Every structure is written in structure tokens, then in C-alpha cells.
Amino acid sequence: MLLIYAHITSARLQYITQFIFSSLHGTNCRITIDSEEFKNHDGAKLNYSDAPVAGKELWIKNVALLFEDTIHPQSINCFELNGNKAFFKTEAGYPFDIFAAAFYLLSRYEEYLPHTKDSYGRYAHENSFAFKEGFLQLPLINIWSQQLVLAIKKIFPSYKVKEDGFSFVPTYDIDTAYSYLYKGFWRNAGRVLRLPHTFFERIAVLTGRKKDHFDCYDWLRQLHSKYQLDPVFFFLVAEKNGPYDKNILPHKDAMWRLVKKHASKYTIGLHPSWQSGDKRHLLAAEKKQLEAMAEKGVTHTRQHYIRFNIPDDYVRLIDGGFTDDYSMGYGSINGFRASVATPFNWFNLLENKSTSLLIHPFCYMEANSYYEQQITPAEALTEMTHYLEICKKVNGTLCTIWHNNFLGTDPVFKGWKEVYEEFLRMVCLSQ
């Protein structure tokens, strides 16, 4: 066991040390404020205070952040360390306060501070420290923690950790289940007036002579079986359609069958409608609706358009009975929003305590590549390969988001289906 000395303890320090040593490295740690106990400890020792305590220890000189209970702008300056960025530099001992730096990123401290929102009302990625400093594409906390373990082992060679290996979690947002089917006469007629060139194609699908462009569900099932994957599907089940909510309405038999079929084999979650972000009572109604369709409880969620704000929306999820959220990423650029490639419990800075809500960060969404970054499928494969390789290197979890409309036969998304299958093949070979 690793014993950590601090002059006082705090909820912030307990949270981040447990995450780094237990969640990332599968080892126990304990904090003590008793310097004599620390000196007499036979095992590995880490001193987190402003001065050395024992002759043989790893000393991390602390900054104030983890012993505060307020939220205010921090003085942060980046420097290079082992080829990566770091901050909260120290004058002696370990090169920087890794616990404070990791906590700042993992807690999303900066999102509690005044900031400009994007056109969707979200925290804009341009505000983020990771984007400004050029490390958004790296799970910096995982990288730092590996280097910390090496530093401990250098002083205490018998110190052992047990890391989980690399894992891959494919996830899918089903917010437009079908392109033409089950939308009714008026919706189809309106689309024909706007897009007359689709008339014959639409008629072929509606009369059963051709498969709907967005119907890739059997193909996905075969892929998941072939590569032994355990995906998560998120369904949008808004009672009414709106500018951002365009799925098949949940009272349609086709949607019931689709949800039930997936719920019988996979983990499913709620994709809360855009409307539920403005009319808060709709979240509970949509959860109840999806549970009825799935014939089982639903505790997983991902926000539609990645539209959420900390802390209010996470508090709302906890109050609504959700246990796992998959929204931690950006709907405008790919990368590691919380600078980590491992699930973590959300820390509520306003209440200064850890919560039961487990956050599953994603780092890649094909819609970002296509709409925001405007790159080709081949270029997207290169981008995905980067995330695969870096997550493998840190024994992290690679969580990706895809939408069924990209994986069907719509000529607009030509090449994306093939790229995704090639990526899954690469993942399989890497495990």
C-alpha cells in the first residue's frame, strides 16, 4: 500500500489520489496527517506537503488548490516535461503538483468559471486550457500517472500496480432511426418538395423494394458479433418533433420494435431530446418512455448534440436516477475534454464532494470529423488510429460515437461505413 502524507486532508485530495492510484493503477493508497506514522511506514511513501518529511520518500510540493473549498481563477503556466505539457510547476521535489493539475482537468474546474458559450449553448472548446495549450488530443492525466508510478518505483522498487488493459466501447446515437420509413405522408411529402431528386428513391423504400438508407442495424449486429464487441445504443424518444429532434416518434410500432430488439441484447441509454434541455420535466417522461419500450430500467445517458452544462445538468441526471453519462467530450471537435481516457466519478465542485455519477469520456465522434473538421473518411481513419494508439499506450478506454445514418447506404456518407469496419478490424487486431 502507498501511504500519502499531507499536513491536512481534503475531499479534493482524497478524490484525485483514489482516482490515480485505484482507478488507473489498481493499487491501494491511504492519506495520513501523522508525520510519525508516515516516517515509520515500511512501504512506498509519497509526501504531499510543503517540505520534506522522511529521508526516503517521493516528495510532491503542493500548491493550494486541493486544500481550497472555493472556485476561482487559477494562475496556470504550462511547461514541457518528458515531451508533454504540465503545469503547477514546483521548485523542489517532483517537477509539478500532479494531483492539483489532474484534479483541475478532471473536475472540469474551468467550466465553473465565467466563459463564452457556443451557438448551441455549450461550453465552447475554444475556451478550454487543453485546446489553447495544444494537448486536447492527449489523455494527459493517464500519461502523467504512468510517469508518477515510474518515479515511485525508482525510489521503492517493490511498489507494484495492477492496471486494467486497454478496452474499447463503441457507442451509437440513434436520433434519426430511418431516413424515409415510418415518417408519415406529410413529412415525406414535405421532404420531396424540398428535395425532389429523392422522389423515386423514397418511393422504392416506402414500397419495400429498397432498404432504408439509415437501416444499418443488422449489419452492426453482425460486426459486433464478429469482433465480440459490447456496444451501447442511445435512443432519442422525444414525444414531439422539433428543429433538433427529428426521430421517429416513440408511439410508432417500428420504434418500439427497434428499441426492444437492441435492449434484448445490448446496453441501451437515453438520448435526451433538445426539448428536454429547455423543459426540464421532459427528462423523466422520456426516461419512463424508453424504459417502457425496452421493458427494463434505463440508467445510461448521453446528451443530444452534447448539449450540457456543468454542474446543473449532471445534478439533474443524478436526481433523475441516471448512474452513467457518456457526454464528456465536445460536439465541435474531437479530443479528450477532461484529458483522460478512463471512466471517472463526477466531482461536484459546488458541493466539494465526489458523486455517484460515473462519467464515460469519449474522444472521437464521426460527426465532428465530417461536419466540423470537414475531413474525408480516409483522413478520419488516420485520426481514429491516433486515438486507438494513444489509448492503448496508456491502458485506457477508447469510447467512440457513431450515428446510424453514417453507417447505412446514404450516398452523402459514402465511404464512412467502410472506414468504420476497417477501424473495428484494427481494434480487434490490437487487443
Side-chain angles (χ1 to χ4, degrees):
M1 182 193 72
L2 175 71
L3 188 64
I4 300 172
Y5 171 76
H7 63 292
I8 58 172
T9 189
S10 72
R12 294 179 178 186
L13 178 59
Q14 291 170 3
Y15 168 79
I16 199 60
T17 53
Q18 285 297 318
F19 175 73
I20 288 176
F21 294 109
S22 180
S23 298
L24 296 186
H25 298 292
T27 186
N28 294 324
C29 70
R30 183 168 66 84
I31 298 171
T32 182
I33 60 173
D34 185 337
S35 61
E36 290 303 313
E37 178 191 12
F38 181 73
K39 292 175 184 177
N40 295 328
H41 180 63
D42 289 333
K45 296 195 283 279
L46 191 155
N47 171 17
Y48 187 67
S49 70
D50 58 4
V53 172
K56 188 178 181 182
E57 64 180 18
L58 178 66
W59 174 34
I60 299 177
K61 188 173 183 180
N62 68 276
V63 299
L65 178 63
L66 299 187
F67 302 111
E68 298 174 341
D69 56 13
T70 58
I71 305 169
H72 58 90
Q74 300 288 322
S75 177
I76 302 178
N77 294 296
C78 268
F79 67 100
E80 293 288 328
L81 178 66
N82 299 322
N84 292 296
K85 295 289 181 69
F87 54 98
F88 292 144
K89 190 174 185 179
T90 55
E91 299 172 356
Y94 200 70
F96 73 113
D97 186 341
I98 180 176
F99 296 152
F103 179 82
Y104 182 86
L105 296 172
L106 197 66
S107 68
R108 305 308 303 130
Y109 195 103
E110 62 189 0
E111 298 193 34
Y112 290 79
L113 302 174
H115 59 266
T116 302
K117 297 186 185 301
D118 70 8
S119 60
Y120 293 101
R122 308 172 299 194
Y123 181 81
H125 75 264
E126 292 90 350
N127 296 324
S128 77
F129 187 59
F131 176 77
K132 292 175 181 176
E133 291 293 335
F135 62 83
L136 183 61
Q137 281 70 44
L138 294 174
L140 205 52
I141 295 173
N142 298 79
I143 295 170
W144 286 344
S145 71
Q146 287 184 332
Q147 294 170 352
L148 177 64
V149 166
L150 291 176
I152 296 172
K153 285 184 175 182
K154 189 173 182 179
I155 301 172
F156 302 97
S158 62
Y159 178 65
K160 290 182 173 59
V161 298
K162 184 181 179 182
E163 299 180 7
D164 292 332
F166 164 75
S167 61
F168 171 58
V169 181
T171 71
Y172 306 91
D173 289 347
I174 312 301
D175 43 31
T176 310
Y178 297 97
S179 177
Y180 302 145
L181 290 175
Y182 313 113
K183 292 188 173 181
F185 174 80
W186 292 112
R187 285 185 71 184
N188 272 301
R191 292 292 289 175
V192 167
L193 290 176
R194 289 192 295 273
L195 302 169
H197 65 279
T198 67
F199 175 77
F200 292 106
E201 180 91 20
R202 196 177 296 264
I203 292 298
V205 171
L206 295 176
T207 56
R209 291 183 287 112
K210 196 168 186 178
K211 195 171 187 177
D212 190 276
H213 281 325
F214 296 175
D215 184 356
C216 62
Y217 306 111
D218 290 339
W219 177 76
L220 278 176
R221 183 176 287 242
Q222 291 171 4
L223 278 185
H224 297 146
S225 177
K226 178 179 179 179
Y227 295 115
Q228 299 182 332
L229 298 172
D230 188 17
V232 185
F233 285 83
F234 296 93
F235 289 91
L236 191 150
V237 291
E239 183 180 355
K240 297 179 181 178
N241 289 132
Y244 299 104
D245 302 321
K246 299 180 180 180
N247 210 354
I248 309 304
L249 295 178
H251 66 265
K252 299 273 189 177
D253 288 344
M255 276 302 293
W256 280 75
R257 291 194 300 270
L258 187 65
V259 169
K260 188 174 181 179
K261 184 176 181 179
H262 285 78
S264 68
K265 187 173 180 64
Y266 306 120
T267 299
I268 69 164
L270 180 67
H271 202 38
S273 67
W274 180 280
Q275 299 163 72
S276 72
D278 299 321
K279 300 176 181 178
R280 297 306 176 98
H281 68 281
L282 292 178
L283 180 66
E286 291 176 11
K287 182 175 187 289
K288 184 177 180 180
Q289 174 72 65
L290 186 60
E291 288 175 334
M293 299 165 79
E295 297 183 352
K296 65 180 182 181
V298 173
T299 58
H300 291 49
T301 181
R302 176 159 53 234
Q303 301 301 302
H304 192 29
Y305 279 81
I306 316 299
R307 185 193 184 207
F308 73 100
N309 288 285
I310 299 174
D312 294 349
D313 287 305
Y314 277 170
V315 171
R316 190 162 66 106
L317 291 180
I318 294 172
D319 291 344
F322 292 97
T323 61
D324 295 72
D325 181 74
Y326 290 72
S327 309
M328 182 54 69
Y330 290 113
S332 50
I333 192 172
N334 288 321
F336 298 92
R337 181 168 177 169
S339 300
V340 75
T342 306
F344 60 95
N345 286 91
W346 175 53
F347 190 95
N348 186 338
L349 277 175
L350 287 185
E351 296 186 0
N352 208 44
K353 68 177 185 181
S354 181
T355 73
S356 60
L357 185 64
L358 188 64
I359 307 301
H360 300 259
F362 72 89
C363 61
Y364 181 81
M365 176 165 64
E366 96 284 51
N368 284 339
S369 295
Y370 181 81
Y371 293 111
E372 305 295 336
Q373 297 163 219
Q374 298 183 355
I375 61 178
T376 67
E379 291 169 332
L381 182 59
T382 299
E383 184 183 17
M384 286 185 282
T385 301
H386 160 76
Y387 291 115
L388 171 60
E389 291 177 347
I390 191 62
C391 286
K392 282 174 52 184
K393 188 175 181 180
V394 299
N395 294 312
T397 298
L398 172 59
C399 182
T400 59
I401 302 176
W402 282 74
H403 298 76
N404 58 294
N405 55 306
F406 275 80
L407 299 172
T409 56
D410 191 331
V412 171
F413 304 112
K414 184 179 180 180
W416 289 89
K417 177 178 181 178
E418 291 75 15
V419 157
Y420 186 56
E421 183 167 10
E422 172 61 18
F423 178 67
L424 294 187
R425 186 189 69 81
M426 292 169 58
V427 171
C428 180
L429 290 175
S430 70
Q431 291 180 311

